[in-house]
């Protein structure tokens, strides 16, 4: 009888994985320095994921991302994901990106290795972040560099913010107070 119920629920699109939102805590990604960023280590903190680029009009947001990270370091982790998907504005190598971020903005928050955040070669973590079928909460569009996605302490998507949203804006910090 139990198996029959499981089969019937599966046929109607219900399953444990769909009923419960997946968590970002299951992901590990390569960092700019070739180490590993293990999202399970961020359990209990909110996570702000941002696709970044070094040659974008929004690049100065690195300064406010760093300020946000330092201001709320007890409850928030910012993770940058360099991507060259928009206007070829992140042409550098991982080493060049790391040097740029440190030299120009003193970035101390985790920075992942360069990935694709949209299209046919989208990185699995961004597929999770932007597809409701994957994250169980909402679909988001990465429309340009510095789009932000906020996750809760359990690793579930809370909200997304367009590039023009400043990292220190009330629309983001209200979740951290």
């Amino acid at each position: 009888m139990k198996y029959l119920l499981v089969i019937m629920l599966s046929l109607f699109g219900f399953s444990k994985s769909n009923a419960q939102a997946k968590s970002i805590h299951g992901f590990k990604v390569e960092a700019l320095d070739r180490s590993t960023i293990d999202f399970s280590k961020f359990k209990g903190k909110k996570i702000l994921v941002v696709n970044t680029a070094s040659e974008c009009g929004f690049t100065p947001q690195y300064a406010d991302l760093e300020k946000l990270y330092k201001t709320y370091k007890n409850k928030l982790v910012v993770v940058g994901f360099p991507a060259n998907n928009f206007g070829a504005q992140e042409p550098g190598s991982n080493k060049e990106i790391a040097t740029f971020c440190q030299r120009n903005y003193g970035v101390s928050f985790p920075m992942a290795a360069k990935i694709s955040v949209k299209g046919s070669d989208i990185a699995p973590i961004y597929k999770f972040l932007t597809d409701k079928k994957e994250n169980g909460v909402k679909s988001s569009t990465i429309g340009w560099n510095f789009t932000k996605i906020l996750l809760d302490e359990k690793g579930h998507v809370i909200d997304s913010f367009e590039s023009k949203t400043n990292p220190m804006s009330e629309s983001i910090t209200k979740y951290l107070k």
Side-chain angles (χ1 to χ4, degrees):
M1 183 68 177
K2 182 179 176 183
Y3 296 110
L4 182 59
L5 180 61
V6 170
I7 292 169
M8 288 178 63
L9 289 174
S10 296
L11 288 173
F12 290 105
F14 298 104
S15 69
K16 187 175 181 180
S17 61
N18 287 341
Q20 296 177 341
K22 294 180 193 175
S23 168
I24 197 171
H25 294 144
F27 286 90
K28 292 180 183 180
V29 298
E30 183 182 354
L32 281 178
D33 65 3
R34 295 186 169 209
S35 65
T36 299
I37 298 172
D38 180 351
F39 282 84
S40 71
K41 293 184 178 184
F42 304 143
K43 287 179 181 175
K45 290 188 175 187
K46 288 187 172 67
I47 304 168
L48 185 69
V49 174
V50 186
N51 65 302
T52 62
S54 300
E55 297 178 6
C56 177
F58 295 111
T59 301
Q61 285 189 18
Y62 270 125
D64 283 324
L65 287 167
E66 181 67 15
K67 182 177 179 181
L68 184 75
Y69 178 62
K70 286 186 173 178
T71 300
Y72 296 100
K73 65 183 172 187
N74 293 329
K75 26 175 129 171
L76 173 76
V77 176
V78 174
V79 182
F81 281 87
N84 199 33
N85 293 97
F86 304 101
Q89 294 180 345
E90 188 57 275
S93 67
N94 287 333
K95 186 175 180 178
E96 290 167 331
I97 295 165
T99 300
F100 173 85
C101 291
Q102 181 57 48
R103 182 182 62 231
N104 294 299
Y105 297 100
V107 169
S108 62
F109 55 84
M111 289 288 294
K114 189 160 76 169
I115 63 165
S116 178
V117 298
K118 68 178 228 166
S120 61
D121 61 343
I122 188 171
I125 194 165
Y126 260 80
K127 177 81 171 147
F128 164 79
L129 290 167
T130 60
D131 187 345
K132 184 176 181 176
K133 291 176 191 169
E134 296 284 326
N135 65 48
V137 179
K138 72 179 275 187
S139 290
S140 301
T141 300
I142 305 299
W144 199 255
N145 303 310
F146 290 87
T147 299
K148 300 149 199 74
I149 300 174
L150 184 65
L151 298 102
D152 68 16
E153 293 83 354
K154 294 182 180 180
H156 302 140
V157 172
I158 296 173
D159 206 351
S160 59
F161 308 91
E162 294 179 359
S163 303
K164 64 183 178 182
T165 304
N166 184 285
M168 292 298 295
S169 72
E170 177 66 19
S171 59
I172 294 174
T173 59
K174 70 181 180 184
Y175 292 104
L176 305 171
K177 295 177 180 175

